[in-house]
Amino acid sequence: MKTFAQIDIDNKGNYLKLLSVISKLSRLFSESQVPFLYYRAAENIFCRSFDAENLSSKGKNLQLNLVNTETKELI
């Protein structure tokens, strides 16, 4: 299974680039060494980078069940 980073590299690398930019901008407003990444920004970056529909802005919840493809059991 590919990671998001591997998929991102296949798709021009926008996901990691945009996350990096937002993380660097957060340091402008804080002296913390740990960057602050607002969850809505991360959602929007993900949707933009992977051509996904952002359902959170529509007030919808999404529940996923992950299944092990070899054993067919829920993870």
Side-chain angles (χ1 to χ4, degrees):
M1 179 187 294
K2 286 187 175 183
T3 65
F4 285 122
Q6 292 167 329
I7 295 168
D8 183 48
I9 290 168
D10 294 344
N11 292 328
K12 302 177 191 170
N14 286 332
Y15 181 63
L16 295 177
K17 286 177 192 172
L18 290 171
L19 284 179
S20 177
V21 168
I22 295 299
S23 296
K24 289 175 184 174
L25 286 173
S26 76
R27 290 214 171 145
L28 293 174
F29 306 102
S30 173
E31 294 180 16
S32 173
Q33 292 300 312
V34 179
F36 175 76
L37 184 60
Y38 185 58
Y39 75 98
R40 294 289 246 192
E43 289 172 354
N44 288 323
I45 290 170
F46 180 88
C47 291
R48 178 179 175 172
S49 299
F50 297 107
D51 293 323
E53 183 180 1
N54 190 346
L55 298 176
S56 67
S57 64
K58 297 177 182 177
K60 298 187 180 198
N61 293 324
L62 180 64
Q63 180 180 354
L64 298 175
N65 291 324
L66 298 177
V67 177
N68 183 322
T69 55
E70 292 177 11
T71 64
K72 305 295 185 206
E73 295 178 359
L74 287 177
I75 298 174

PDB file of all heavy atoms in Angstrom, residues 39-59:
ATOM      1  N   TYR A  39      -6.594  22.344  11.727  1.00  0.00           N
ATOM      2  CA  TYR A  39      -7.138  21.134  11.100  1.00  0.00           C
ATOM      3  C   TYR A  39      -7.922  21.426   9.828  1.00  0.00           C
ATOM      4  O   TYR A  39      -7.903  20.641   8.878  1.00  0.00           O
ATOM      5  CB  TYR A  39      -7.980  20.326  12.087  1.00  0.00           C
ATOM      6  CG  TYR A  39      -9.347  20.899  12.380  1.00  0.00           C
ATOM      7  CD1 TYR A  39     -10.467  20.416  11.718  1.00  0.00           C
ATOM      8  CD2 TYR A  39      -9.526  21.913  13.311  1.00  0.00           C
ATOM      9  CE1 TYR A  39     -11.725  20.932  11.972  1.00  0.00           C
ATOM     10  CE2 TYR A  39     -10.774  22.421  13.574  1.00  0.00           C
ATOM     11  CZ  TYR A  39     -11.875  21.932  12.911  1.00  0.00           C
ATOM     12  OH  TYR A  39     -13.114  22.443  13.161  1.00  0.00           O
ATOM     13  N   ARG A  40      -8.604  22.562   9.761  1.00  0.00           N
ATOM     14  CA  ARG A  40      -9.365  22.895   8.553  1.00  0.00           C
ATOM     15  C   ARG A  40      -8.424  23.164   7.378  1.00  0.00           C
ATOM     16  O   ARG A  40      -8.716  22.829   6.243  1.00  0.00           O
ATOM     17  CB  ARG A  40     -10.255  24.107   8.789  1.00  0.00           C
ATOM     18  CG  ARG A  40     -11.358  23.859   9.793  1.00  0.00           C
ATOM     19  CD  ARG A  40     -12.374  22.963   9.197  1.00  0.00           C
ATOM     20  NE  ARG A  40     -13.600  23.708   9.063  1.00  0.00           N
ATOM     21  CZ  ARG A  40     -14.764  23.175   8.790  1.00  0.00           C
ATOM     22  NH1 ARG A  40     -14.862  21.894   8.619  1.00  0.00           N
ATOM     23  NH2 ARG A  40     -15.823  23.905   8.684  1.00  0.00           N
ATOM     24  N   ALA A  41      -7.293  23.775   7.673  1.00  0.00           N
ATOM     25  CA  ALA A  41      -6.298  24.008   6.617  1.00  0.00           C
ATOM     26  C   ALA A  41      -5.777  22.670   6.102  1.00  0.00           C
ATOM     27  O   ALA A  41      -5.649  22.480   4.890  1.00  0.00           O
ATOM     28  CB  ALA A  41      -5.145  24.858   7.150  1.00  0.00           C
ATOM     29  N   ALA A  42      -5.500  21.743   7.010  1.00  0.00           N
ATOM     30  CA  ALA A  42      -5.014  20.418   6.601  1.00  0.00           C
ATOM     31  C   ALA A  42      -6.056  19.689   5.757  1.00  0.00           C
ATOM     32  O   ALA A  42      -5.720  19.053   4.748  1.00  0.00           O
ATOM     33  CB  ALA A  42      -4.657  19.594   7.829  1.00  0.00           C
ATOM     34  N   GLU A  43      -7.331  19.794   6.137  1.00  0.00           N
ATOM     35  CA  GLU A  43      -8.412  19.173   5.357  1.00  0.00           C
ATOM     36  C   GLU A  43      -8.476  19.759   3.952  1.00  0.00           C
ATOM     37  O   GLU A  43      -8.593  19.035   2.964  1.00  0.00           O
ATOM     38  CB  GLU A  43      -9.766  19.385   6.034  1.00  0.00           C
ATOM     39  CG  GLU A  43      -9.962  18.595   7.295  1.00  0.00           C
ATOM     40  CD  GLU A  43     -11.240  18.991   8.027  1.00  0.00           C
ATOM     41  OE1 GLU A  43     -11.924  19.955   7.619  1.00  0.00           O
ATOM     42  OE2 GLU A  43     -11.557  18.330   9.020  1.00  0.00           O
ATOM     43  N   ASN A  44      -8.412  21.074   3.869  1.00  0.00           N
ATOM     44  CA  ASN A  44      -8.494  21.735   2.566  1.00  0.00           C
ATOM     45  C   ASN A  44      -7.290  21.413   1.689  1.00  0.00           C
ATOM     46  O   ASN A  44      -7.433  21.221   0.477  1.00  0.00           O
ATOM     47  CB  ASN A  44      -8.648  23.244   2.748  1.00  0.00           C
ATOM     48  CG  ASN A  44     -10.022  23.604   3.268  1.00  0.00           C
ATOM     49  OD1 ASN A  44     -11.012  22.989   2.903  1.00  0.00           O
ATOM     50  ND2 ASN A  44     -10.081  24.597   4.136  1.00  0.00           N
ATOM     51  N   ILE A  45      -6.105  21.359   2.288  1.00  0.00           N
ATOM     52  CA  ILE A  45      -4.908  20.997   1.529  1.00  0.00           C
ATOM     53  C   ILE A  45      -5.023  19.573   1.010  1.00  0.00           C
ATOM     54  O   ILE A  45      -4.693  19.282  -0.146  1.00  0.00           O
ATOM     55  CB  ILE A  45      -3.648  21.173   2.403  1.00  0.00           C
ATOM     56  CG1 ILE A  45      -3.387  22.660   2.648  1.00  0.00           C
ATOM     57  CG2 ILE A  45      -2.438  20.499   1.766  1.00  0.00           C
ATOM     58  CD1 ILE A  45      -2.327  22.944   3.690  1.00  0.00           C
ATOM     59  N   PHE A  46      -5.499  18.664   1.853  1.00  0.00           N
ATOM     60  CA  PHE A  46      -5.670  17.269   1.437  1.00  0.00           C
ATOM     61  C   PHE A  46      -6.627  17.177   0.254  1.00  0.00           C
ATOM     62  O   PHE A  46      -6.327  16.537  -0.757  1.00  0.00           O
ATOM     63  CB  PHE A  46      -6.188  16.420   2.599  1.00  0.00           C
ATOM     64  CG  PHE A  46      -6.379  14.976   2.241  1.00  0.00           C
ATOM     65  CD1 PHE A  46      -5.343  14.077   2.367  1.00  0.00           C
ATOM     66  CD2 PHE A  46      -7.590  14.521   1.751  1.00  0.00           C
ATOM     67  CE1 PHE A  46      -5.500  12.746   2.023  1.00  0.00           C
ATOM     68  CE2 PHE A  46      -7.768  13.196   1.399  1.00  0.00           C
ATOM     69  CZ  PHE A  46      -6.722  12.305   1.541  1.00  0.00           C
ATOM     70  N   CYS A  47      -7.776  17.824   0.379  1.00  0.00           N
ATOM     71  CA  CYS A  47      -8.782  17.758  -0.686  1.00  0.00           C
ATOM     72  C   CYS A  47      -8.263  18.369  -1.984  1.00  0.00           C
ATOM     73  O   CYS A  47      -8.492  17.830  -3.060  1.00  0.00           O
ATOM     74  CB  CYS A  47     -10.069  18.445  -0.244  1.00  0.00           C
ATOM     75  SG  CYS A  47     -10.916  17.533   1.055  1.00  0.00           S
ATOM     76  N   ARG A  48      -7.569  19.478  -1.865  1.00  0.00           N
ATOM     77  CA  ARG A  48      -7.021  20.131  -3.060  1.00  0.00           C
ATOM     78  C   ARG A  48      -5.953  19.260  -3.729  1.00  0.00           C
ATOM     79  O   ARG A  48      -5.909  19.141  -4.944  1.00  0.00           O
ATOM     80  CB  ARG A  48      -6.422  21.474  -2.671  1.00  0.00           C
ATOM     81  CG  ARG A  48      -5.802  22.198  -3.809  1.00  0.00           C
ATOM     82  CD  ARG A  48      -5.253  23.518  -3.368  1.00  0.00           C
ATOM     83  NE  ARG A  48      -4.542  24.138  -4.483  1.00  0.00           N
ATOM     84  CZ  ARG A  48      -4.076  25.346  -4.462  1.00  0.00           C
ATOM     85  NH1 ARG A  48      -4.236  26.097  -3.392  1.00  0.00           N
ATOM     86  NH2 ARG A  48      -3.438  25.832  -5.493  1.00  0.00           N
ATOM     87  N   SER A  49      -5.116  18.637  -2.929  1.00  0.00           N
ATOM     88  CA  SER A  49      -4.003  17.865  -3.469  1.00  0.00           C
ATOM     89  C   SER A  49      -4.419  16.530  -4.073  1.00  0.00           C
ATOM     90  O   SER A  49      -3.786  16.044  -5.002  1.00  0.00           O
ATOM     91  CB  SER A  49      -2.972  17.612  -2.370  1.00  0.00           C
ATOM     92  OG  SER A  49      -2.461  18.826  -1.895  1.00  0.00           O
ATOM     93  N   PHE A  50      -5.482  15.935  -3.531  1.00  0.00           N
ATOM     94  CA  PHE A  50      -5.884  14.606  -3.980  1.00  0.00           C
ATOM     95  C   PHE A  50      -7.239  14.605  -4.682  1.00  0.00           C
ATOM     96  O   PHE A  50      -7.871  13.564  -4.840  1.00  0.00           O
ATOM     97  CB  PHE A  50      -5.889  13.630  -2.807  1.00  0.00           C
ATOM     98  CG  PHE A  50      -4.528  13.443  -2.203  1.00  0.00           C
ATOM     99  CD1 PHE A  50      -4.217  13.999  -0.976  1.00  0.00           C
ATOM    100  CD2 PHE A  50      -3.549  12.736  -2.873  1.00  0.00           C
ATOM    101  CE1 PHE A  50      -2.961  13.839  -0.420  1.00  0.00           C
ATOM    102  CE2 PHE A  50      -2.286  12.569  -2.333  1.00  0.00           C
ATOM    103  CZ  PHE A  50      -1.989  13.124  -1.094  1.00  0.00           C
ATOM    104  N   ASP A  51      -7.692  15.791  -5.109  1.00  0.00           N
ATOM    105  CA  ASP A  51      -8.973  15.929  -5.809  1.00  0.00           C
ATOM    106  C   ASP A  51     -10.115  15.245  -5.064  1.00  0.00           C
ATOM    107  O   ASP A  51     -10.930  14.531  -5.646  1.00  0.00           O
ATOM    108  CB  ASP A  51      -8.883  15.370  -7.240  1.00  0.00           C
ATOM    109  CG  ASP A  51      -7.959  16.194  -8.111  1.00  0.00           C
ATOM    110  OD1 ASP A  51      -7.955  17.424  -7.952  1.00  0.00           O
ATOM    111  OD2 ASP A  51      -7.248  15.600  -8.938  1.00  0.00           O
ATOM    112  N   ALA A  52     -10.161  15.472  -3.767  1.00  0.00           N
ATOM    113  CA  ALA A  52     -11.212  14.896  -2.933  1.00  0.00           C
ATOM    114  C   ALA A  52     -12.243  15.978  -2.607  1.00  0.00           C
ATOM    115  O   ALA A  52     -11.931  17.168  -2.604  1.00  0.00           O
ATOM    116  CB  ALA A  52     -10.628  14.351  -1.638  1.00  0.00           C
ATOM    117  N   GLU A  53     -13.460  15.556  -2.352  1.00  0.00           N
ATOM    118  CA  GLU A  53     -14.513  16.495  -1.967  1.00  0.00           C
ATOM    119  C   GLU A  53     -14.460  16.714  -0.465  1.00  0.00           C
ATOM    120  O   GLU A  53     -14.405  15.760   0.306  1.00  0.00           O
ATOM    121  CB  GLU A  53     -15.878  15.934  -2.360  1.00  0.00           C
ATOM    122  CG  GLU A  53     -17.014  16.879  -2.047  1.00  0.00           C
ATOM    123  CD  GLU A  53     -18.372  16.325  -2.439  1.00  0.00           C
ATOM    124  OE1 GLU A  53     -18.432  15.195  -2.948  1.00  0.00           O
ATOM    125  OE2 GLU A  53     -19.363  17.026  -2.215  1.00  0.00           O
ATOM    126  N   ASN A  54     -14.460  17.967  -0.051  1.00  0.00           N
ATOM    127  CA  ASN A  54     -14.404  18.294   1.369  1.00  0.00           C
ATOM    128  C   ASN A  54     -15.815  18.260   1.950  1.00  0.00           C
ATOM    129  O   ASN A  54     -16.570  19.216   1.845  1.00  0.00           O
ATOM    130  CB  ASN A  54     -13.765  19.662   1.579  1.00  0.00           C
ATOM    131  CG  ASN A  54     -13.467  19.933   3.022  1.00  0.00           C
ATOM    132  OD1 ASN A  54     -13.947  19.246   3.919  1.00  0.00           O
ATOM    133  ND2 ASN A  54     -12.660  20.942   3.266  1.00  0.00           N
ATOM    134  N   LEU A  55     -16.159  17.148   2.573  1.00  0.00           N
ATOM    135  CA  LEU A  55     -17.495  16.989   3.138  1.00  0.00           C
ATOM    136  C   LEU A  55     -17.648  17.696   4.478  1.00  0.00           C
ATOM    137  O   LEU A  55     -18.765  17.970   4.903  1.00  0.00           O
ATOM    138  CB  LEU A  55     -17.814  15.502   3.304  1.00  0.00           C
ATOM    139  CG  LEU A  55     -17.850  14.684   2.015  1.00  0.00           C
ATOM    140  CD1 LEU A  55     -18.081  13.216   2.325  1.00  0.00           C
ATOM    141  CD2 LEU A  55     -18.901  15.206   1.066  1.00  0.00           C
ATOM    142  N   SER A  56     -16.545  18.020   5.139  1.00  0.00           N
ATOM    143  CA  SER A  56     -16.651  18.660   6.450  1.00  0.00           C
ATOM    144  C   SER A  56     -17.266  20.051   6.342  1.00  0.00           C
ATOM    145  O   SER A  56     -17.942  20.497   7.252  1.00  0.00           O
ATOM    146  CB  SER A  56     -15.286  18.746   7.118  1.00  0.00           C
ATOM    147  OG  SER A  56     -14.454  19.622   6.410  1.00  0.00           O
ATOM    148  N   SER A  57     -17.043  20.717   5.225  1.00  0.00           N
ATOM    149  CA  SER A  57     -17.619  22.049   5.061  1.00  0.00           C
ATOM    150  C   SER A  57     -19.132  21.993   4.858  1.00  0.00           C
ATOM    151  O   SER A  57     -19.817  22.994   4.970  1.00  0.00           O
ATOM    152  CB  SER A  57     -16.963  22.767   3.876  1.00  0.00           C
ATOM    153  OG  SER A  57     -17.243  22.080   2.679  1.00  0.00           O
ATOM    154  N   LYS A  58     -19.641  20.807   4.578  1.00  0.00           N
ATOM    155  CA  LYS A  58     -21.076  20.631   4.402  1.00  0.00           C
ATOM    156  C   LYS A  58     -21.736  20.057   5.652  1.00  0.00           C
ATOM    157  O   LYS A  58     -22.897  19.686   5.633  1.00  0.00           O
ATOM    158  CB  LYS A  58     -21.341  19.712   3.206  1.00  0.00           C
ATOM    159  CG  LYS A  58     -20.842  20.304   1.903  1.00  0.00           C
ATOM    160  CD  LYS A  58     -21.040  19.365   0.760  1.00  0.00           C
ATOM    161  CE  LYS A  58     -20.471  20.006  -0.502  1.00  0.00           C
ATOM    162  NZ  LYS A  58     -20.556  19.141  -1.643  1.00  0.00           N
ATOM    163  N   GLY A  59     -20.966  19.961   6.736  1.00  0.00           N
ATOM    164  CA  GLY A  59     -21.496  19.457   7.988  1.00  0.00           C
ATOM    165  C   GLY A  59     -21.757  17.966   7.982  1.00  0.00           C
ATOM    166  O   GLY A  59     -22.565  17.465   8.753  1.00  0.00           O
TER     167      GLY A  59
END
